[in-house]
């Protein structure tokens, strides 16, 4: 769904139009299509609806996707988009030799996903967060380790431990109930 007046996209916040007008932000960072209507907050990039679906599959720890058309944006989120942008994200990957000469543009979901799973990409997300929250910058990975993929299992376990402690309690409760049911069946 998109809103157009005289073939112009109408964004949910006037600040988004200013950020989209910055060079490089008017195309999907992943496939190059015109007029992206979605953004990854933590990567500060702009994507089309098809690529937004791929980003959603990565999880919010890697790419937190929101609509530029219908979602409300707070000042902090808008500032993060302004600090980043498609050009800065790609420039970070170019610094590590991960992308060259626009070879990052693709319709291949695996290729799109992979560029967000490099250590260099995680560094970029941490750098934006540090800039946004006025914290010390993270240590920049060396050229070799920046080109390595993050260990997704460790990364997601680390993220979910702090974000979802209640889930562990629910699983423990469920396991305890299963054991209680087994014990009562055995007594009968």
């Amino acid at each position: 769904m998109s809103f157009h007046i005289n073939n112009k996209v109408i964004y949910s916040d006037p600040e988004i139009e200013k950020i989209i007008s910055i060079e490089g932000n008017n195309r999907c960072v992943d496939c190059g299509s015109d007029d992206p209507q979605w953004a990854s907050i933590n990567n500060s990039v702009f994507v089309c609806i098809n690529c937004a679906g791929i980003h959603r599959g990565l999880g919010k720890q890697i790419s937190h996707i929101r609509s530029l058309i219908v979602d409300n944006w707070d000042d902090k989120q808008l500032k993060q988009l302004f600090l980043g942008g498609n050009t800065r994200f790609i420039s970070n990957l170019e610094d590590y030799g991960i992308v060259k000469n626009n070879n990052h543009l693709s319709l291949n979901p695996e290729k799109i996903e992979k560029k967000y799973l490099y250590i260099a990409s995680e560094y970029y997300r941490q750098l934006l967060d540090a800039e946004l929250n006025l914290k010390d910058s993270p240590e920049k990975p060396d050229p070799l380790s920046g080109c390595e993929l993050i260990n997704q299992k460790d990364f997601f376990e680390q993220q979910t431990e702090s974000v979802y402690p209640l889930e562990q309690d629910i699983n423990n409760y469920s396991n305890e109930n299963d054991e209680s049911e087994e014990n009562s069946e055995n007594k009968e």
Side-chain angles (χ1 to χ4, degrees):
M1 169 170 88
S2 65
F3 300 102
H4 291 82
I5 295 178
N6 297 329
N7 291 327
K8 185 176 176 185
V9 177
I10 305 301
Y11 299 104
S12 62
D13 189 296
E15 290 299 311
I16 291 174
E17 188 167 354
K18 292 177 188 173
I19 298 167
I20 280 282
S21 70
I22 297 171
E23 186 176 341
N25 291 345
N26 62 337
R27 294 183 159 294
C28 175
V29 70
D30 294 325
C31 71
S33 66
D34 290 332
D35 298 322
Q37 297 177 11
W38 295 83
S40 169
I41 298 170
N42 48 345
N43 291 291
S44 298
V45 295
F46 300 89
V47 296
C48 69
I49 191 165
N50 293 328
C51 294
I54 295 167
H55 280 253
R56 285 189 189 276
L58 291 168
K60 286 185 177 183
Q61 302 92 331
I62 301 291
S63 188
H64 185 172
I65 290 291
R66 300 215 39 201
S67 170
L68 299 171
I69 308 296
V70 296
D71 288 334
N72 292 320
W73 292 77
D74 63 36
D75 290 343
K76 192 172 185 178
Q77 292 167 331
L78 291 168
K79 183 177 180 184
Q80 185 156 357
L81 289 179
F82 180 77
L83 287 171
N86 292 357
T87 301
R88 187 173 180 200
F89 175 76
I90 294 304
S91 177
N92 178 65
L93 296 181
E94 287 174 339
D95 288 350
Y96 288 92
I98 294 169
V99 299
K100 298 175 186 164
N101 302 322
N102 282 331
N103 72 347
H104 66 280
L105 298 175
S106 177
L107 297 175
N108 179 321
E110 289 82 23
K111 186 174 180 181
I112 291 169
E113 288 174 351
K114 190 173 182 180
K115 77 175 149 227
Y116 297 94
L117 298 175
Y118 286 105
I119 289 174
S121 300
E122 178 58 21
Y123 160 75
Y124 177 77
R125 287 187 288 273
Q126 291 175 5
L127 179 64
L128 287 174
D129 183 64
E131 290 174 1
L132 181 67
N133 295 301
L134 305 173
K135 299 187 293 190
D136 291 336
S137 294
E139 184 177 335
K140 187 172 184 168
D142 65 72
L144 287 177
S145 62
C147 295
E148 294 175 11
L149 295 175
I150 58 175
N151 182 332
Q152 285 179 281
K153 181 178 182 275
D154 290 346
F155 178 82
F156 287 111
E157 283 177 1
Q158 186 178 41
Q159 295 292 318
T160 55
E161 282 175 11
S162 61
V163 177
Y164 302 109
L166 182 61
E167 186 176 296
Q168 293 170 346
D169 293 339
I170 292 169
N171 288 337
N172 290 339
Y173 176 78
S174 177
N175 290 338
E176 289 170 5
N177 281 345
D178 291 344
E179 290 172 7
S180 295
E181 287 176 14
E182 286 177 14
N183 288 339
S184 65
E185 287 174 8
N186 290 337
K187 289 179 183 178
E188 294 174 5

